[in-house]
Amino acid sequence: MKNDGWGKASPSRQTIEQKSQIRDSLMAIKVCKFGGTSLADAVQFRKVEAIIKADPERRYVVPSAPGKRSPHDKKITDLLYLCHAHVQQEIPFDDVFNIIADRYLGIVADLGLKLDLKNELASVKKTIAATAAAGDPADYAASRGEYLSGLILAALLGYDFVDPADVILFDSRGRFDGERTQETLARRLKKHERAVVPGFYGSVPGGGIKTFSRGGSDISGAIVARGVAAGVYENWTDVNGLLMADPRIVPNPRHIAVVTYKELRELAYMGATVLHDEAIFPVRIAGIPVNIRNTNQPQHPGTMIVQDAAPMASRGSITG
């Protein structure tokens, strides 16, 4: 910022460019990723539906698996990993899988959807048993949380369902193939004006499922955003973006309105977990802003993550 001669700070050219970047992003295609707490139950699914329908530019949605409904609840992904481990240890996993099935069937029933998941759940159970017994990694089992969430969300929104196993590609050594993925994804999504693309996983040659590291739905969302040349990548979670301090140490810290990709990367190294640090790269390459938003307070603007020009903060504000 620089002084305008009247004792007030006037915006610099960098500040104006950032505001222009943010304004332009609001009028283009938006890719929305929703975390596990945003899809924990039918009530949360309805909140997601309202957010998507509030803006016609929210055309591509990347869901996570349902998270905890309460502090003592279980994440669906954790239960799926447990199913795989039970099979490998030759322990029956019916009881664990029934918890998963009941959770999804309950969400479908509470939403009033005419979606029959029973055959899908039976297929998932059978394949978990087969892949785990064969000694395969837990990737298939872990990925089914996002897959089933995607089926429900596509039915709720009336959007097309695109299986990431067809468009997010890893090589034979399990390394993400970014360039081939972008070509395949861009070509495929041109055929779908609106689509749900589950997060967290893709495939290796031959069709086997491969997952990113935990929290990898953030990465999937960034990949989809780049693939459709989105104007903004909205990452919806359960907090109002980045905060100026750790709320476990400082009561009611203020949120940070704007940070850069570089600053977010530094914050991630120091323990900030609001966004998977590897999710920065696809959108940074394409120059796509990221907007961290709160599903439970959709009216809050959240934190905008922009290009590398350092944000010129107003008096009293903090950046990373």
Side-chain angles (χ1 to χ4, degrees):
M1 302 289 283
K2 58 185 179 181
N3 197 287
D4 63 2
W6 292 91
K8 297 181 181 179
S10 61
S12 69
R13 181 174 180 179
Q14 285 181 319
T15 306
I16 294 170
E17 288 175 350
Q18 283 185 345
K19 288 182 177 179
S20 176
Q21 179 185 3
I22 293 170
R23 183 179 62 252
D24 291 345
S25 72
L26 299 176
M27 299 183 289
I29 293 173
K30 296 177 182 178
V31 170
C32 304
K33 178 264 178 181
F34 290 91
T37 55
S38 299
L39 297 165
D41 55 26
V43 172
Q44 294 299 100
F45 267 84
R46 285 295 186 193
K47 291 179 183 178
V48 169
E49 179 189 23
I51 288 168
I52 297 300
K53 290 185 175 180
D55 187 342
E57 295 307 324
R58 290 177 176 139
R59 291 168 46 188
Y60 300 96
V61 187
V62 179
S64 298
K68 293 183 178 182
R69 295 163 292 186
S70 68
H72 302 292
D73 200 8
K74 300 293 185 183
K75 295 180 179 179
I76 288 293
T77 302
D78 291 337
L79 293 173
L80 288 164
Y81 275 119
L82 188 59
C83 288
H84 183 271
H86 273 41
V87 175
Q88 289 194 320
Q89 297 172 32
E90 299 182 352
I91 301 172
F93 72 106
D94 299 69
D95 290 345
V96 179
F97 192 82
N98 286 341
I99 296 172
I100 297 168
D102 288 346
R103 182 89 170 268
Y104 280 110
L105 293 173
I107 290 172
V108 170
D110 290 344
L111 291 173
L113 295 176
K114 294 180 180 179
L115 176 66
D116 185 2
L117 276 188
K118 292 182 179 179
N119 289 337
E120 286 286 354
L121 288 163
S123 176
V124 167
K125 183 179 181 181
K126 181 178 179 181
T127 307
I128 288 175
T131 54
D136 293 343
D139 296 62
Y140 173 82
S143 72
R144 295 305 89 181
E146 280 74 13
Y147 173 79
L148 293 166
S149 282
L151 291 177
I152 295 173
L153 194 56
L156 180 63
L157 297 173
Y159 280 20
D160 298 336
F161 177 85
V162 175
D163 192 336
D166 298 330
V167 293
I168 294 183
L169 309 174
F170 295 78
D171 66 20
S172 58
R173 298 176 62 182
R175 298 173 301 188
F176 175 60
D177 190 337
E179 292 309 310
R180 196 159 63 96
T181 290
Q182 292 304 325
E183 293 174 5
T184 304
L185 184 65
R187 185 169 58 250
R188 176 67 177 274
L189 291 185
K190 282 183 179 179
K191 302 176 183 178
H192 301 274
E193 184 178 357
R194 300 180 185 277
V196 172
V197 186
F200 188 39
Y201 74 95
S203 66
V204 294
I209 297 298
K210 174 66 180 173
T211 61
F212 292 105
S213 58
R214 288 298 293 266
S217 290
D218 288 344
I219 305 172
S220 299
I223 291 167
V224 172
R226 184 186 173 198
V228 299
V232 66
Y233 168 33
E234 293 183 340
N235 191 294
W236 292 83
T237 180
D238 56 0
V239 295
N240 292 328
L242 294 167
L243 303 176
M244 292 185 182
D246 188 335
R248 294 168 296 183
I249 301 171
V250 179
N252 302 315
R254 292 168 61 189
H255 99 286
I256 302 174
V258 182
V259 297
T260 65
Y261 297 131
K262 182 178 180 180
E263 287 173 327
L264 182 67
R265 182 74 172 174
E266 296 294 336
L267 288 168
Y269 279 134
M270 292 185 285
T273 58
V274 71
L275 183 69
H276 196 298
D277 60 327
E278 292 180 28
I280 298 170
F281 294 113
V283 287
R284 184 174 183 174
I285 290 170
I288 299 170
V290 181
N291 193 191
I292 309 295
R293 302 285 294 272
N294 188 344
T295 304
N296 301 315
Q297 296 183 39
Q299 72 283 358
H300 194 286
T303 297
M304 187 69 80
I305 305 165
V306 298
Q307 278 286 19
D308 289 322
M312 309 304 288
S314 62
R315 183 179 301 173
S317 67
I318 298 174
T319 65

